[in-house]
Amino acid sequence: MRALAPLAGVLLAVLSSAQVLVDFQVAEPPPVPDSGQQCTMMILERTFGNSYGDPEIVEYTPPTDCGAVGSWAAVTLNFTVTSNGTQYDRLGIFTFQNTEIWRTSTPEPTENGIIWTYTKDVTRYIPLFDKPGTFILELDNVVTSTYTGLYATTLYATFYASSGEYPTAGQSNMIVPISTMLNNTGNEASVPPAFSLNVTLPQNTVEIYAELYASGNGDEEFWYYNTADEYLGYLPPDTTYGGGPFREVRLLVDGQVAGVAFPYAVIFTGGINPGVWRPITSYGAIDLPTYFLDLTPFVPVFADGLPHNVTLDVASAETNHTLNQNWYVSGLLQVVTDPSGKQTTGSITTYDAQPYAITETTASIGGTDVNITVNAQRSLKIESTIVSGSGTTNNVVFQQSMDFTNTQYYLDDANIQNVAQISSGSVTSTHNGVSVLTDNFNYPLYIDMTILVDNDTETLCKFHSLVPAPFILGSDISERQQTAGYLTISTTGVTANGTSNNTFSYVDTKGNTYARDVDAAYDVITYDEQSGSLATTLLPTFPLVSNAQSIPCARLPGGQGCV
């Protein structure tokens, strides 16, 4: 059985009630063993009503009936949620052992109800799952007489025993969080200002791989629509926010840039036009992307066994690099140690990294039209020689080369608001000439929005070839999503609807494949075909209706719309 939801029977029972909408994000099923022993345990169950500042906190104990603890071939989490009524989309953050392991968001419910289930591969976090610890789900929700939707959630973990056919998954020796280290809520940090903490690693550390979580919130939710400060005054009041559209997430060690990420633009289900995100959410809305860096060049720094300052922040292209409130960030370090237990030695031999990206902002202004372009380039190269306690020498070369361009077209006195943005780049790291991390990405984003009743089209693409670390499965993903819809705001309420066309393909370094083409129009799946070694039978999809849906409201760039 391949990664079936533990609540499949419950899900089918719910779906037997007509008009329940099945929401989903297009993604590959986890590549887990299709034979052998597996064990499933409930992690938590909670209905989130008025839950601001009241996360679900549970204690976890690893299972002992699926082989030796930590010897598993794979581990997955299954999150299933139901809701009905009127409610906004909400951000959800799973924190385990003070480490963020999944960032998600909720689709917005309908009066007749919605359900979604998502299975996430968390095999790379086995060093956390092999010991007892605290599991936290932060899902801040508010219920009123108007916004009535509750989010009823269940989270299961499935452990797949290793075997001759499916050996124990590769893993680091330890995972170290870059987080607020709180035990009573989610461990993400809000920036700005920059978030820093002191990190101490074992003296026999020989490799370090970082994973970063980052997403825009509040005035930064539509960061790609934010306009450069110097041209904001040319737009009608309240059109958008300042701070410009360029963002880079920076990781610093003792004040030195160790690596950066250009973020992928995730549109949450309440964003721009909620009608086009039913039943297919935008890519990344239920499983937000993360970003990988090789921190191994800094092993000689950490190997002294003393605390070192690690900083996460987000920078803009403005002259002071500031931005609005806010981004949520966190991270983790996958640490590999030398079995000798002896101290690692070495040095950073090349450090070529500027504090910030090189940027340029230009504009064309005429009549009632304002067109603004922001370009950015980032390059980085860090080399180190590392000698383990066992006497092995590792020559490390970590490089990043990335480009960004964003053009905003504010036409007809900003009644037409279009964005054309592309982030692309190459991230590589070699150890003794052998590639250990590659990240080649291309993120085109095109949004055309006309403010009549808010007609809009969005095209989001993700072309991503990633090998995060030698012990983490690599993959090539191609995703293209094109939507079109309308949004009507009147004194009697807000209605919206639209269409969504999705083409997705996946292949990983073990040869697993998956492809899916799926289209929706007015909440109805009109075409759905999948193929590949990971393909599974789809659950039925409801409802079979095509009328405009009432929604709580819509969040638009610059705080437009109702919030």
Side-chain angles (χ1 to χ4, degrees):
M1 181 172 65
R2 187 179 299 280
L4 294 182
L7 294 185
V10 175
L11 182 59
L12 287 170
V14 172
L15 293 181
S16 66
S17 174
Q19 307 302 308
V20 173
L21 188 67
V22 181
D23 289 313
F24 61 94
Q25 175 190 314
V26 178
E28 77 282 357
V32 298
D34 55 11
S35 63
Q37 184 183 8
Q38 56 182 267
C39 312
T40 296
M41 60 186 294
M42 179 182 285
I43 300 293
L44 60 84
E45 184 175 27
R46 165 78 179 272
T47 296
F48 288 87
N50 285 307
S51 55
Y52 259 89
D54 182 23
E56 183 68 5
I57 304 174
V58 299
E59 294 304 315
Y60 160 88
T61 301
T64 57
D65 54 352
C66 237
V69 171
S71 69
W72 308 300
V75 180
T76 61
L77 291 177
N78 176 272
F79 190 47
T80 298
V81 187
T82 60
S83 182
N84 68 284
T86 301
Q87 190 54 265
Y88 290 111
D89 51 336
R90 306 295 187 183
L91 191 68
I93 293 179
F94 295 90
T95 300
F96 183 38
Q97 315 273 22
N98 293 118
T99 306
E100 183 172 351
I101 63 170
W102 187 358
R103 186 171 298 187
T104 187
S105 69
T106 66
E108 293 187 342
T110 65
E111 289 298 327
N112 291 316
I114 64 170
I115 186 169
W116 76 93
T117 187
Y118 191 91
T119 302
K120 179 176 177 66
D121 187 354
V122 291
T123 303
R124 64 183 181 272
Y125 302 132
I126 285 179
L128 300 177
F129 281 92
D130 68 2
K131 59 183 69 69
T134 302
F135 208 110
I136 302 174
L137 171 55
E138 178 186 39
L139 202 165
D140 291 338
N141 191 30
V142 174
V143 176
T144 67
S145 58
T146 300
Y147 302 110
T148 58
L150 309 175
Y151 289 107
T153 72
T154 55
L155 182 71
Y156 284 83
T158 298
F159 301 81
Y160 296 82
S162 57
S163 63
E165 184 178 3
Y166 300 103
T168 297
Q171 54 195 275
S172 63
N173 295 106
M174 63 187 300
I175 294 177
V176 177
I178 307 172
S179 77
T180 59
M181 303 298 289
L182 298 174
N183 295 315
N184 59 351
T185 187
N187 281 200
E188 75 283 1
S190 176
V191 300
F195 170 73
S196 295
L197 80 165
N198 288 329
V199 173
T200 303
L201 299 183
Q203 290 184 308
N204 63 328
T205 295
V206 289
E207 297 175 50
I208 310 170
Y209 301 92
E211 181 178 3
L212 307 182
Y213 286 80
S215 59
N217 179 68
D219 294 355
E220 287 288 302
E221 178 177 356
F222 305 105
W223 48 272
Y224 41 85
Y225 254 115
N226 291 355
T227 292
D229 288 343
E230 63 181 300
Y231 298 110
L232 187 61
Y234 290 93
L235 300 176
D238 301 322
T239 297
T240 187
Y241 297 115
F246 172 69
R247 299 291 180 267
E248 70 169 357
V249 184
R250 303 191 309 158
L251 172 64
L252 298 89
V253 176
D254 292 338
Q256 288 188 302
V257 173
V260 303
F262 285 6
Y264 176 78
V266 174
I267 302 178
F268 297 110
T269 60
I272 302 181
N273 184 352
V276 303
W277 310 126
R278 293 175 173 175
I280 308 173
T281 72
S282 75
Y283 187 77
I286 293 179
D287 187 8
L288 273 73
T290 59
Y291 309 94
F292 294 88
L293 305 169
D294 188 5
L295 210 60
T296 303
F298 284 83
V299 162
V301 175
F302 286 101
D304 62 7
L306 299 175
H308 289 274
N309 184 266
V310 175
T311 299
L312 292 177
D313 71 3
V314 181
S316 73
E318 297 301 302
T319 53
N320 54 6
H321 308 292
T322 58
L323 56 149
N324 310 295
Q325 292 294 332
N326 66 315
W327 282 70
Y328 289 122
V329 299
S330 75
L332 60 96
L333 304 178
Q334 298 264 9
V335 178
V336 179
T337 56
D338 185 67
S340 72
K342 299 177 182 178
Q343 184 173 358
T344 302
T345 59
S347 63
I348 296 176
T349 56
T350 299
Y351 183 82
D352 183 7
Q354 298 301 313
Y356 298 97
I358 299 172
T359 62
E360 178 188 44
T361 301
T362 59
S364 171
I365 302 170
T368 59
D369 297 345
V370 180
N371 302 326
I372 306 163
T373 297
V374 176
N375 294 313
Q377 294 81 39
R378 161 64 84 173
S379 62
L380 174 152
K381 184 177 184 180
I382 308 173
E383 300 183 44
S384 288
T385 298
I386 299 167
V387 182
S388 72
S390 299
T392 302
T393 299
N394 185 10
N395 295 305
V396 179
V397 181
F398 175 59
Q399 299 182 87
Q400 294 186 287
S401 177
M402 301 186 289
D403 293 282
F404 170 92
T405 183
N406 173 291
T407 299
Q408 300 170 351
Y409 303 90
Y410 290 100
L411 310 176
D412 188 24
D413 208 23
N415 285 308
I416 298 174
Q417 302 177 13
N418 300 338
V419 165
Q421 175 176 295
I422 298 179
S423 295
S424 61
S426 174
V427 182
T428 63
S429 188
T430 60
H431 292 187
N432 287 334
V434 178
S435 177
V436 297
L437 182 151
T438 60
D439 185 355
N440 298 309
F441 65 92
N442 189 350
Y443 304 152
L445 170 69
Y446 303 99
I447 302 177
D448 299 335
M449 182 168 64
T450 301
I451 301 178
L452 299 170
V453 291
D454 187 7
N455 289 293
D456 60 272
T457 64
E458 295 94 7
T459 300
L460 302 90
C461 301
K462 182 175 185 178
F463 308 105
H464 201 188
S465 177
L466 173 67
V467 178
F471 46 84
I472 300 176
L473 187 67
S475 63
D476 287 350
I477 290 177
S478 176
E479 156 70 15
R480 185 179 189 275
Q481 184 173 30
Q482 185 168 20
T483 66
Y486 68 88
L487 172 76
T488 303
I489 302 175
S490 68
T491 56
T492 59
V494 181
T495 57
N497 225 319
T499 62
S500 179
N501 306 100
N502 299 260
T503 302
F504 177 89
S505 67
Y506 166 96
V507 59
D508 63 38
T509 49
K510 289 187 176 179
N512 299 299
T513 59
Y514 181 74
R516 186 175 184 181
D517 291 338
V518 56
D519 301 333
Y522 307 109
D523 295 347
V524 179
I525 298 298
T526 58
Y527 179 84
D528 196 356
E529 182 176 338
Q530 63 174 350
S531 61
S533 63
L534 299 177
T536 59
T537 301
L538 294 178
L539 294 168
T541 324
F542 294 95
L544 299 178
V545 296
S546 59
N547 55 296
Q549 294 288 326
S550 175
I551 61 174
C553 207
R555 295 188 306 279
L556 298 172
Q560 301 175 77
C562 42
V563 294

